[in-house]
Amino acid sequence: VNGVIAVDPVWMSYILKALGPVRTPAWPEPITTHHVKNIVSRDVYMVKNTATSNVIQTAIANALSDAILHRHWPLRALATAMSRSANEGHLKIYSADPAEQVILGQLGVDGAVHLTDNPPLVTFNGLVSARTGYFAQRTIQTSTVKNADGTSTVTVTVTLTNTAPKGPPSVLLGHPGTGYPVGTFAATVSVYLPVGAKVISSSVDGQLGVQLTQQEFGHPVVDQIVEAHAGGTSVATIVYSIPS
């Protein structure tokens, strides 16, 4: 490929605010800036099979693409939408051309990972085939204690709260027999530690977790698996030390 453009439902809402609603026979009502996030993140998955969901998603994407390509462009409104999307991380672009990629980096849309030691970067990678990530509420708390020897002990607490209902079965909530109860959300939580950090303990819901530590971007990374059934909560705790 020559390049990749990645956008999300928030980007879609900003673009629709500039261009106005779009319509498609695959959806019963106009798709507006106020509703698009819920439609494409939740409603299109409230069907029984992935094939039906994919048809609806494709139709919505085509309707939006057609509006972008063929409608009159309100330049100020679209410039605001694109700028806001870039600043908030809702638009990412990759080019196979190194010179273009440098420019994209200067614009802040190249998707480069920028690690910070305090607070550390924490990412989630969903493990379920369902779309229950829509209902996942995540909080991250970091506390640091200075030790007498000059080192510091850092505790990172990641809390996952799953507000999903227990049914009915759908692409959104999952189906019986998939390895997870309907409504469950599970994910790998990765905590990117500072260079030189040493893991003291790692647990999930007070129990020993997967205890997997690897290297990425030159930093140690601790992985844990959190799993919360519908209406449930799971807490991952990672404690590590850093030199003075």
Side-chain angles (χ1 to χ4, degrees), residues 86-87 91-95 97-114:
N87 289 336
L91 169 67
K92 300 296 182 184
I93 305 174
Y94 163 76
S95 173
D97 184 316
E100 291 180 352
Q101 192 66 10
V102 169
I103 296 173
L104 294 171
Q106 294 170 345
L107 293 172
V109 296
D110 62 339
V113 175
H114 301 285

PDB file of all heavy atoms in Angstrom, residues 86-87 91-95 97-114:
ATOM      1  N   ALA A  86      -7.059  15.970  14.458  1.00  0.00           N
ATOM      2  CA  ALA A  86      -5.620  15.738  14.568  1.00  0.00           C
ATOM      3  C   ALA A  86      -5.128  16.002  15.985  1.00  0.00           C
ATOM      4  O   ALA A  86      -4.375  15.205  16.561  1.00  0.00           O
ATOM      5  CB  ALA A  86      -4.874  16.615  13.569  1.00  0.00           C
ATOM      6  N   ASN A  87      -5.565  17.115  16.567  1.00  0.00           N
ATOM      7  CA  ASN A  87      -5.110  17.476  17.911  1.00  0.00           C
ATOM      8  C   ASN A  87      -5.567  16.480  18.969  1.00  0.00           C
ATOM      9  O   ASN A  87      -4.850  16.232  19.949  1.00  0.00           O
ATOM     10  CB  ASN A  87      -5.621  18.875  18.280  1.00  0.00           C
ATOM     11  CG  ASN A  87      -4.935  19.971  17.501  1.00  0.00           C
ATOM     12  OD1 ASN A  87      -3.823  19.795  17.022  1.00  0.00           O
ATOM     13  ND2 ASN A  87      -5.596  21.115  17.366  1.00  0.00           N
ATOM     14  N   LEU A  91      -7.441  11.185  14.123  1.00  0.00           N
ATOM     15  CA  LEU A  91      -7.027  11.049  12.731  1.00  0.00           C
ATOM     16  C   LEU A  91      -5.559  10.644  12.704  1.00  0.00           C
ATOM     17  O   LEU A  91      -4.713  11.328  13.280  1.00  0.00           O
ATOM     18  CB  LEU A  91      -7.216  12.379  11.983  1.00  0.00           C
ATOM     19  CG  LEU A  91      -6.597  12.485  10.583  1.00  0.00           C
ATOM     20  CD1 LEU A  91      -7.303  11.533   9.616  1.00  0.00           C
ATOM     21  CD2 LEU A  91      -6.671  13.924  10.074  1.00  0.00           C
ATOM     22  N   LYS A  92      -5.264   9.506  12.055  1.00  0.00           N
ATOM     23  CA  LYS A  92      -3.890   9.042  11.918  1.00  0.00           C
ATOM     24  C   LYS A  92      -3.633   8.695  10.455  1.00  0.00           C
ATOM     25  O   LYS A  92      -4.498   8.101   9.794  1.00  0.00           O
ATOM     26  CB  LYS A  92      -3.629   7.801  12.785  1.00  0.00           C
ATOM     27  CG  LYS A  92      -3.856   8.029  14.274  1.00  0.00           C
ATOM     28  CD  LYS A  92      -2.907   9.047  14.865  1.00  0.00           C
ATOM     29  CE  LYS A  92      -3.126   9.224  16.359  1.00  0.00           C
ATOM     30  NZ  LYS A  92      -2.261  10.283  16.928  1.00  0.00           N
ATOM     31  N   ILE A  93      -2.451   9.066   9.959  1.00  0.00           N
ATOM     32  CA  ILE A  93      -2.119   8.833   8.551  1.00  0.00           C
ATOM     33  C   ILE A  93      -0.697   8.272   8.460  1.00  0.00           C
ATOM     34  O   ILE A  93       0.216   8.786   9.105  1.00  0.00           O
ATOM     35  CB  ILE A  93      -2.213  10.132   7.722  1.00  0.00           C
ATOM     36  CG1 ILE A  93      -3.595  10.778   7.883  1.00  0.00           C
ATOM     37  CG2 ILE A  93      -1.941   9.846   6.249  1.00  0.00           C
ATOM     38  CD1 ILE A  93      -3.723  12.131   7.208  1.00  0.00           C
ATOM     39  N   TYR A  94      -0.543   7.241   7.636  1.00  0.00           N
ATOM     40  CA  TYR A  94       0.784   6.686   7.346  1.00  0.00           C
ATOM     41  C   TYR A  94       1.031   6.755   5.851  1.00  0.00           C
ATOM     42  O   TYR A  94       0.150   6.438   5.047  1.00  0.00           O
ATOM     43  CB  TYR A  94       0.889   5.228   7.792  1.00  0.00           C
ATOM     44  CG  TYR A  94       2.066   4.513   7.165  1.00  0.00           C
ATOM     45  CD1 TYR A  94       3.361   4.748   7.616  1.00  0.00           C
ATOM     46  CD2 TYR A  94       1.880   3.644   6.092  1.00  0.00           C
ATOM     47  CE1 TYR A  94       4.441   4.126   7.024  1.00  0.00           C
ATOM     48  CE2 TYR A  94       2.959   3.013   5.491  1.00  0.00           C
ATOM     49  CZ  TYR A  94       4.237   3.258   5.954  1.00  0.00           C
ATOM     50  OH  TYR A  94       5.305   2.642   5.363  1.00  0.00           O
ATOM     51  N   SER A  95       2.216   7.184   5.483  1.00  0.00           N
ATOM     52  CA  SER A  95       2.620   7.208   4.078  1.00  0.00           C
ATOM     53  C   SER A  95       3.878   6.373   3.895  1.00  0.00           C
ATOM     54  O   SER A  95       4.804   6.420   4.721  1.00  0.00           O
ATOM     55  CB  SER A  95       2.880   8.649   3.616  1.00  0.00           C
ATOM     56  OG  SER A  95       3.425   8.650   2.299  1.00  0.00           O
ATOM     57  N   ASP A  97       5.930   6.981   1.673  1.00  0.00           N
ATOM     58  CA  ASP A  97       6.944   7.943   1.252  1.00  0.00           C
ATOM     59  C   ASP A  97       7.577   8.568   2.496  1.00  0.00           C
ATOM     60  O   ASP A  97       6.896   9.251   3.262  1.00  0.00           O
ATOM     61  CB  ASP A  97       6.289   9.031   0.398  1.00  0.00           C
ATOM     62  CG  ASP A  97       7.300  10.020  -0.175  1.00  0.00           C
ATOM     63  OD1 ASP A  97       8.207  10.450   0.566  1.00  0.00           O
ATOM     64  OD2 ASP A  97       7.175  10.375  -1.361  1.00  0.00           O
ATOM     65  N   PRO A  98       8.887   8.377   2.727  1.00  0.00           N
ATOM     66  CA  PRO A  98       9.527   8.885   3.944  1.00  0.00           C
ATOM     67  C   PRO A  98       9.387  10.404   4.109  1.00  0.00           C
ATOM     68  O   PRO A  98       9.193  10.886   5.225  1.00  0.00           O
ATOM     69  CB  PRO A  98      10.994   8.480   3.770  1.00  0.00           C
ATOM     70  CG  PRO A  98      10.951   7.296   2.855  1.00  0.00           C
ATOM     71  CD  PRO A  98       9.820   7.573   1.910  1.00  0.00           C
ATOM     72  N   ALA A  99       9.482  11.143   3.006  1.00  0.00           N
ATOM     73  CA  ALA A  99       9.370  12.605   3.091  1.00  0.00           C
ATOM     74  C   ALA A  99       7.968  13.008   3.538  1.00  0.00           C
ATOM     75  O   ALA A  99       7.800  13.928   4.359  1.00  0.00           O
ATOM     76  CB  ALA A  99       9.707  13.240   1.744  1.00  0.00           C
ATOM     77  N   GLU A 100       6.952  12.332   3.005  1.00  0.00           N
ATOM     78  CA  GLU A 100       5.581  12.625   3.413  1.00  0.00           C
ATOM     79  C   GLU A 100       5.370  12.258   4.886  1.00  0.00           C
ATOM     80  O   GLU A 100       4.678  12.957   5.616  1.00  0.00           O
ATOM     81  CB  GLU A 100       4.596  11.868   2.534  1.00  0.00           C
ATOM     82  CG  GLU A 100       4.540  12.363   1.087  1.00  0.00           C
ATOM     83  CD  GLU A 100       3.542  11.584   0.252  1.00  0.00           C
ATOM     84  OE1 GLU A 100       3.009  10.565   0.761  1.00  0.00           O
ATOM     85  OE2 GLU A 100       3.286  11.984  -0.897  1.00  0.00           O
ATOM     86  N   GLN A 101       5.988  11.163   5.305  1.00  0.00           N
ATOM     87  CA  GLN A 101       5.828  10.728   6.687  1.00  0.00           C
ATOM     88  C   GLN A 101       6.424  11.736   7.669  1.00  0.00           C
ATOM     89  O   GLN A 101       5.889  11.942   8.764  1.00  0.00           O
ATOM     90  CB  GLN A 101       6.461   9.340   6.894  1.00  0.00           C
ATOM     91  CG  GLN A 101       6.119   8.676   8.206  1.00  0.00           C
ATOM     92  CD  GLN A 101       4.646   8.316   8.342  1.00  0.00           C
ATOM     93  OE1 GLN A 101       3.877   8.381   7.386  1.00  0.00           O
ATOM     94  NE2 GLN A 101       4.239   7.940   9.538  1.00  0.00           N
ATOM     95  N   VAL A 102       7.505  12.374   7.274  1.00  0.00           N
ATOM     96  CA  VAL A 102       8.096  13.421   8.113  1.00  0.00           C
ATOM     97  C   VAL A 102       7.095  14.564   8.293  1.00  0.00           C
ATOM     98  O   VAL A 102       6.908  15.079   9.403  1.00  0.00           O
ATOM     99  CB  VAL A 102       9.408  13.942   7.501  1.00  0.00           C
ATOM    100  CG1 VAL A 102       9.873  15.200   8.233  1.00  0.00           C
ATOM    101  CG2 VAL A 102      10.486  12.871   7.569  1.00  0.00           C
ATOM    102  N   ILE A 103       6.447  14.967   7.215  1.00  0.00           N
ATOM    103  CA  ILE A 103       5.454  16.047   7.284  1.00  0.00           C
ATOM    104  C   ILE A 103       4.282  15.633   8.167  1.00  0.00           C
ATOM    105  O   ILE A 103       3.797  16.414   8.980  1.00  0.00           O
ATOM    106  CB  ILE A 103       4.970  16.423   5.874  1.00  0.00           C
ATOM    107  CG1 ILE A 103       6.134  16.983   5.047  1.00  0.00           C
ATOM    108  CG2 ILE A 103       3.828  17.438   5.945  1.00  0.00           C
ATOM    109  CD1 ILE A 103       5.790  17.236   3.595  1.00  0.00           C
ATOM    110  N   LEU A 104       3.837  14.392   8.016  1.00  0.00           N
ATOM    111  CA  LEU A 104       2.734  13.902   8.839  1.00  0.00           C
ATOM    112  C   LEU A 104       3.117  13.911  10.316  1.00  0.00           C
ATOM    113  O   LEU A 104       2.294  14.195  11.187  1.00  0.00           O
ATOM    114  CB  LEU A 104       2.336  12.489   8.398  1.00  0.00           C
ATOM    115  CG  LEU A 104       1.730  12.378   6.997  1.00  0.00           C
ATOM    116  CD1 LEU A 104       1.575  10.919   6.597  1.00  0.00           C
ATOM    117  CD2 LEU A 104       0.381  13.095   6.939  1.00  0.00           C
ATOM    118  N   GLY A 105       4.381  13.620  10.597  1.00  0.00           N
ATOM    119  CA  GLY A 105       4.858  13.683  11.969  1.00  0.00           C
ATOM    120  C   GLY A 105       4.835  15.103  12.508  1.00  0.00           C
ATOM    121  O   GLY A 105       4.476  15.342  13.665  1.00  0.00           O
ATOM    122  N   GLN A 106       5.207  16.056  11.674  1.00  0.00           N
ATOM    123  CA  GLN A 106       5.174  17.460  12.082  1.00  0.00           C
ATOM    124  C   GLN A 106       3.749  17.927  12.355  1.00  0.00           C
ATOM    125  O   GLN A 106       3.515  18.805  13.198  1.00  0.00           O
ATOM    126  CB  GLN A 106       5.835  18.322  11.002  1.00  0.00           C
ATOM    127  CG  GLN A 106       7.329  18.060  10.830  1.00  0.00           C
ATOM    128  CD  GLN A 106       7.906  18.738   9.610  1.00  0.00           C
ATOM    129  OE1 GLN A 106       7.180  19.191   8.721  1.00  0.00           O
ATOM    130  NE2 GLN A 106       9.236  18.809   9.543  1.00  0.00           N
ATOM    131  N   LEU A 107       2.804  17.336  11.651  1.00  0.00           N
ATOM    132  CA  LEU A 107       1.394  17.668  11.856  1.00  0.00           C
ATOM    133  C   LEU A 107       0.794  16.921  13.048  1.00  0.00           C
ATOM    134  O   LEU A 107      -0.326  17.215  13.466  1.00  0.00           O
ATOM    135  CB  LEU A 107       0.586  17.345  10.590  1.00  0.00           C
ATOM    136  CG  LEU A 107       0.900  18.200   9.362  1.00  0.00           C
ATOM    137  CD1 LEU A 107       0.171  17.643   8.140  1.00  0.00           C
ATOM    138  CD2 LEU A 107       0.504  19.646   9.600  1.00  0.00           C
ATOM    139  N   GLY A 108       1.527  15.930  13.561  1.00  0.00           N
ATOM    140  CA  GLY A 108       1.051  15.177  14.707  1.00  0.00           C
ATOM    141  C   GLY A 108       0.026  14.122  14.385  1.00  0.00           C
ATOM    142  O   GLY A 108      -0.741  13.703  15.263  1.00  0.00           O
ATOM    143  N   VAL A 109       0.002  13.650  13.134  1.00  0.00           N
ATOM    144  CA  VAL A 109      -0.995  12.639  12.755  1.00  0.00           C
ATOM    145  C   VAL A 109      -0.350  11.336  12.284  1.00  0.00           C
ATOM    146  O   VAL A 109      -1.017  10.480  11.708  1.00  0.00           O
ATOM    147  CB  VAL A 109      -1.933  13.171  11.637  1.00  0.00           C
ATOM    148  CG1 VAL A 109      -2.736  14.347  12.143  1.00  0.00           C
ATOM    149  CG2 VAL A 109      -1.147  13.543  10.383  1.00  0.00           C
ATOM    150  N   ASP A 110       0.953  11.163  12.530  1.00  0.00           N
ATOM    151  CA  ASP A 110       1.648   9.978  12.019  1.00  0.00           C
ATOM    152  C   ASP A 110       1.455   8.745  12.888  1.00  0.00           C
ATOM    153  O   ASP A 110       1.873   7.651  12.518  1.00  0.00           O
ATOM    154  CB  ASP A 110       3.147  10.267  11.862  1.00  0.00           C
ATOM    155  CG  ASP A 110       3.816  10.614  13.178  1.00  0.00           C
ATOM    156  OD1 ASP A 110       3.100  11.024  14.117  1.00  0.00           O
ATOM    157  OD2 ASP A 110       5.055  10.492  13.272  1.00  0.00           O
ATOM    158  N   GLY A 111       0.828   8.902  14.052  1.00  0.00           N
ATOM    159  CA  GLY A 111       0.569   7.749  14.912  1.00  0.00           C
ATOM    160  C   GLY A 111       1.771   7.287  15.702  1.00  0.00           C
ATOM    161  O   GLY A 111       1.741   6.194  16.281  1.00  0.00           O
ATOM    162  N   ALA A 112       2.834   8.077  15.740  1.00  0.00           N
ATOM    163  CA  ALA A 112       4.021   7.685  16.491  1.00  0.00           C
ATOM    164  C   ALA A 112       3.690   7.569  17.976  1.00  0.00           C
ATOM    165  O   ALA A 112       2.874   8.322  18.510  1.00  0.00           O
ATOM    166  CB  ALA A 112       5.142   8.698  16.278  1.00  0.00           C
ATOM    167  N   VAL A 113       4.345   6.604  18.638  1.00  0.00           N
ATOM    168  CA  VAL A 113       4.145   6.402  20.073  1.00  0.00           C
ATOM    169  C   VAL A 113       5.138   7.266  20.840  1.00  0.00           C
ATOM    170  O   VAL A 113       6.343   7.209  20.600  1.00  0.00           O
ATOM    171  CB  VAL A 113       4.348   4.919  20.442  1.00  0.00           C
ATOM    172  CG1 VAL A 113       4.251   4.726  21.955  1.00  0.00           C
ATOM    173  CG2 VAL A 113       3.309   4.061  19.738  1.00  0.00           C
ATOM    174  N   HIS A 114       4.617   8.081  21.757  1.00  0.00           N
ATOM    175  CA  HIS A 114       5.462   8.936  22.582  1.00  0.00           C
ATOM    176  C   HIS A 114       5.297   8.487  24.040  1.00  0.00           C
ATOM    177  O   HIS A 114       4.245   8.704  24.653  1.00  0.00           O
ATOM    178  CB  HIS A 114       5.067  10.398  22.424  1.00  0.00           C
ATOM    179  CG  HIS A 114       5.171  10.894  21.010  1.00  0.00           C
ATOM    180  ND1 HIS A 114       6.382  11.169  20.409  1.00  0.00           N
ATOM    181  CD2 HIS A 114       4.215  11.139  20.078  1.00  0.00           C
ATOM    182  CE1 HIS A 114       6.177  11.578  19.165  1.00  0.00           C
ATOM    183  NE2 HIS A 114       4.873  11.563  18.937  1.00  0.00           N
TER     184      HIS A 114
END
